Structure formats: C-alpha cells, structure tokens
C-alpha cells in the first residue's frame, strides 16, 4: 500500500535500529507523548528491538484517557435529560464515570449515539428539531478545528438545538506541566505528528529551548518512530536539545493555517482538568462568548455529583509515565477490553488496551 508499506520496510527498519545501537551509548529515557505512538511501538515490538539502554515511556496523549471522571459524569448527567440526544465518538461511551457510563445510560433508555464526526451530530440536530443534540467533544488540536467548523455551520444555518460539551485539550501546556513536575526526568520526547500537522512545529520548540530536552516530531509507522528515536539519541549523545521533524512529509513549520483560524475563531483557551495530572492552566478549549449559545455547559443545568474513581485503577500514574499497565493489579484478570475498569483499557489509543492486545508484560 503506497505511503504505508515503505514506512514498514523491514530492511530499512533493521538499518535504523543498527544506527541507533551504534550512536546510543548512555542510558536514555524517552517519552512517546501520543497514544497512537504507544500502540504502534507495542504492535511492532519496537521497545524490544531497541538497545537496552533506551527506555520508552508512554505519555498522556490519549484524549479519551485524560478526560477526568468529573467530565464523564457531566456527559452522563446530560444524557439523563429527556430532551437530549448525546452524540460522541465510540470510545467515549464505554468510559466509566463515577457510577455509570454513557453505554449504561443508553441501555437504560437514554438517546446516546456514536458518530464519526461533529458533522454527523449536526445532521442529527437537523433531523430532530424538537430535541437538543449535544456533541461531547474530546480530542486535541487535531479534532478541535472540525468541531469548531460544526459550530460555525450551526450558527450559519440558525440551528438552535446543537450544543458542544467541549472537553478538548491542548498538548503543549500539559507537556509543560509534566516537565515542570520533574516526576520523571526525560531525555527526549516524541511529539505527536498529527497534532503538529495542525499546529506546526513552533508550539513544540519550547521543549528544547526551555527544558533542555531533545524533541522529535514523528508519524505513526514504525520507520517514522525509529527515525525520531534516532534523532533523539543523536541529540542526547551530542549534548543538543532542539526540535527535529521526522514527519516532514506531513508536518510543515507553519501548520495548517485554515484549521488554526477556524479553531481560534470559535474556541478560547481555558484551564482544564486532566486525569491523573489535575488542572493545567490554558490546556483546554471553551467556546468564545460569540458562540456561547452552543455551549452545553451554558445551556443546561448540569447536576454536580461526588466524583468517585475506581480505587485500584492507576490510569493517572500511567498517563504521567510513572507506571505501566502491568503495574496495575487489575490488569488483565479484572480489567480487560470486555470489562474495562478505566479509560486506558477502553480507548483504542490507551496504554492498557495496547499492552493487553500486543503484550508488554516485560520490564521494557
Ligand atoms: Fe485502570 Fe484497567 Fe489500566 Fe488498571 S488496567 S490502570 S484498572 S484501565
């Protein structure tokens, strides 16, 4: 398959691994920020192929996983209102809240629908003028522009039964929070290629400039990731810390101006809660006042409930890179894709689900 097979070429991969082994002398800790990278690394056995002095840690780059329980509870509270139709992406409906999930609410009669995009949610709003259609928006800078476009479309059409529960998050602020916490001392970060395709490279330059840590933007195929790892270990060995782009076929320095303009037209930054990390300043997106009529948190009375997390779930620690799924005593026997206890087992980009599907009980 063009544009995929060449990035999975075994011989090229072996060559990259050999180069990495030749360059890399000292112990290094690298974090792959994005859940998509974690899945690819585990699926292709990259951890085991790398020299033993290179430790790979997973980061918080799974939007479903980082959505805190309180926000899941908000979506459930909205689903319980008889006048609403809740629309969201598939993974979200299985994430447990404090005492229920959107899936359970659906089984009990709530109108909860899986959609593939906010555009589908708009169509549901058009077809159901007597109902209030809420799109539960999760995702990073990649998803937010499409949701913003749906809000602009709803305004242009005069659609007055379409709302967004904006749980969108931004990547650079949470990276800053992780680095400032010094909970783990990283040597390098693999930056999320799809996010950088929208934002451009500039928002990630702070990693090297402010924190003296190597950074490389990567795509999601094995050779993309190996090339990024090579860039990182070379920087570490040379005592450099800058941002390199191992995904130049997609990521441009300036990013996607049109997508950014749409996102900035509709959303403003706001403090936001991250599972396991807490409130991170300016790391979320809320609708601007001009679009306030479409803000579900403004349009509905949302009952507050006491937030309860499963006491055995260590998703928060996993999202900060301080623990791995096999450190969780519930992993596999109690918590598995058929009975997910936490979001990291629900999401296709979650570490627990990736470890469950592709192995990874060893120490690497
Ligand atoms: Fe949470 Fe399940 Fe992962 Fe344990 S294995 S951290 S319970 S999602």
């Amino acid at each position: 398959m063009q544009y995929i097979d060449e990035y999975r070429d075994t011989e090229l991969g072996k060559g990259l691994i050999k180069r990495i082994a030749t360059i890399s002398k000292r112990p290094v800790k690298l974090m792959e920020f994005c859940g998509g990278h974690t899945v690819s690394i585990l699926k292709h056995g990259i951890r085991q192929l790398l020299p033993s002095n290179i430790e790979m840690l997973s980061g918080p780059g799974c939007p479903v996983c980082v959505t805190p329980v309180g926000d899941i509870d908000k979506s459930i509270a909205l689903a319980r209102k008889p006048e609403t139709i809740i629309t969201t992406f598939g993974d979200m409906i299985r994430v447990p809240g404090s005492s229920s999930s959107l899936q359970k609410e659906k089984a009990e009669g709530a109108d909860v629908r899986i959609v593939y995009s906010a555009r589908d949610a708009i169509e549901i709003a058009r077809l159901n003028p007597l109902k209030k259609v809420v799109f539960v928006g999760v995702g990073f800078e990649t998803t937010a522009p499409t949701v913003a476009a749906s809000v602009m479309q709803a305004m242009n059409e005069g659609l007055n039964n379409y709302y967004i529960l904006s749980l969108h998050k931004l990547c650079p602020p949470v990276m800053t929070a992780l680095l400032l916490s010094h909970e783990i001392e990283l040597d390098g970060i693999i930056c999320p290629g799809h996010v950088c395709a929208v934002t451009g490279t500039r928002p990630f330059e702070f990693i090297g400039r402010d924190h003296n840590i190597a950074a490389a933007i990567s795509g999601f195929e094995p050779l993309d990731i190996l090339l990024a790892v090579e860039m990182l270990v070379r920087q570490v060995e040379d005592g450099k810390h800058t941002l390199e782009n191992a995904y130049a076929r997609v990521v441009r320095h300036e990013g996607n101006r049109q997508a950014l303009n749409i996102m900035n037209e509709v959303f403003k930054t706001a403090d936001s809660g991250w599972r396991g990390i807490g409130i991170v300043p300016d790391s979320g997106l809320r609708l601007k006042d001009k679009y306030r009529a479409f803000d579900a948190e403004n349009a509905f009375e949302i009952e507050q409930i006491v937030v309860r997390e499963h006491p055995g779930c260590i998703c928060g620690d996993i999202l900060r890179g301080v623990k791995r799924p096999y450190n969780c005593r519930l992993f596999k026997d109690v918590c598995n894709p058929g009975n997910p206890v936490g979001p990291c087992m629900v999401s296709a980009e979650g570490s627990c689900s990736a470890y469950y599907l592709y192995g990874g009980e060893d120490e690497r």
Side-chain angles (χ1 to χ4, degrees):
M1 197 185 299
Q2 205 187 5
Y3 304 128
I4 292 187
D5 286 348
E6 55 264 61
Y7 295 98
R8 293 183 180 177
D9 185 284
T10 309
E11 290 310 310
L12 290 174
K14 282 182 188 165
L16 275 166
I17 289 162
K18 207 169 161 189
R19 282 216 309 260
I20 291 167
T22 307
I23 299 165
S24 187
K25 307 273 188 268
R26 64 185 81 176
V28 284
K29 267 190 190 161
L30 308 180
M31 173 179 275
E32 81 272 1
F33 175 85
C34 177
H37 286 144
T38 301
V39 170
S40 189
I41 286 167
L42 287 165
K43 188 173 172 182
H44 296 286
I46 289 175
R47 276 196 177 122
Q48 286 76 12
L49 293 171
L50 291 172
S52 57
N53 59 309
I54 300 177
E55 187 181 355
M56 303 288 295
L57 304 169
S58 302
C62 161
V64 170
C65 306
V66 294
T67 302
V69 179
D71 284 344
I72 302 293
D73 290 342
K74 276 184 197 168
S75 67
I76 291 167
L78 287 168
R80 286 177 176 163
K81 295 185 183 295
E83 72 273 26
T84 60
I85 298 174
I86 300 296
T87 59
T88 192
F89 301 132
D91 285 348
M92 275 299 281
I93 82 160
R94 298 182 66 223
V95 178
S98 293
S99 60
S100 183
S101 68
L102 287 172
Q103 190 173 44
K104 283 186 189 157
E105 296 302 316
K106 183 177 171 67
E108 285 169 20
D111 197 341
V112 177
R113 305 187 193 185
I114 293 172
V115 292
Y116 294 102
S117 72
R119 185 182 289 193
D120 297 341
I122 283 265
E123 182 61 12
I124 291 170
R126 282 194 205 104
L127 294 173
N128 295 274
L130 300 180
K131 299 286 270 188
K132 296 182 173 181
V133 176
V134 180
F135 179 71
V136 180
V138 290
F140 297 132
E141 291 91 333
T142 26
T143 319
T146 60
V147 177
S150 78
V151 173
M152 290 168 72
Q153 189 176 350
M155 184 175 250
N156 287 341
E157 288 183 24
L159 209 54
N160 61 5
N161 65 332
Y162 179 64
Y163 307 90
I164 305 291
L165 179 63
S166 178
L167 308 178
H168 295 288
K169 305 216 183 296
L170 302 173
C171 296
V174 80
M175 280 187 182
T176 302
L178 280 182
L179 293 173
L180 289 177
S181 78
H182 293 288
E183 199 171 21
I184 40 170
E185 298 296 347
L186 295 171
D187 299 290
I189 297 181
I190 298 179
C191 297
H194 51 359
V195 168
C196 295
V198 173
T199 64
T201 58
R202 189 170 299 140
F204 292 86
E205 287 171 357
F206 76 96
I207 299 170
R209 187 189 59 231
D210 301 344
H211 299 278
N212 299 343
I213 288 173
I217 298 164
S218 175
F220 297 87
E221 296 302 327
L223 296 193
D224 292 320
I225 294 169
L226 288 172
L227 181 60
V229 170
E230 188 203 356
M231 288 173 168
L232 293 175
V233 294
R234 196 182 287 279
Q235 285 191 45
V236 172
E237 293 299 330
D238 292 347
K240 292 186 177 158
H241 33 78
T242 184
L243 175 67
E244 291 186 87
N245 186 0
Y247 200 28
R249 70 182 186 280
V250 172
V251 174
R252 304 275 175 271
H253 177 68
E254 67 279 8
N256 182 332
R257 283 298 343 154
Q258 192 181 5
L260 287 172
N261 287 342
I262 291 170
M263 187 169 90
N264 293 332
E265 160 65 23
V266 172
F267 289 117
K268 61 184 177 186
T269 60
D271 298 350
S272 184
W274 295 64
R275 187 184 295 258
I277 297 170
I279 303 287
V280 178
D282 286 330
S283 68
L285 293 174
R286 289 293 307 268
L287 289 154
K288 283 183 174 171
D289 289 347
K290 178 178 171 186
Y291 298 97
R292 196 174 155 78
F294 300 95
D295 188 342
E297 296 200 67
N298 175 53
F300 296 92
E301 190 85 26
I302 303 178
E303 299 77 27
Q304 295 287 321
I305 66 165
V306 177
V307 170
R308 276 203 320 256
E309 295 193 40
H310 192 292
C313 178
I314 59 165
C315 273
D317 294 337
I318 292 169
L319 291 164
R320 296 197 311 281
V322 296
K323 290 206 173 143
R324 300 226 171 135
Y326 53 74
N327 299 132
C328 175
R329 62 187 169 80
L330 306 180
F331 181 59
K332 278 195 176 174
D333 291 340
V334 176
C335 177
N336 50 60
N339 179 44
V341 173
C344 301
M345 188 60 88
V346 173
S347 171
E349 294 189 348
S351 284
C352 298
S353 122
Y355 272 74
Y356 184 91
L357 287 175
Y358 304 115
E361 289 189 57
D362 62 85
E363 292 303 310
R364 302 190 60 209

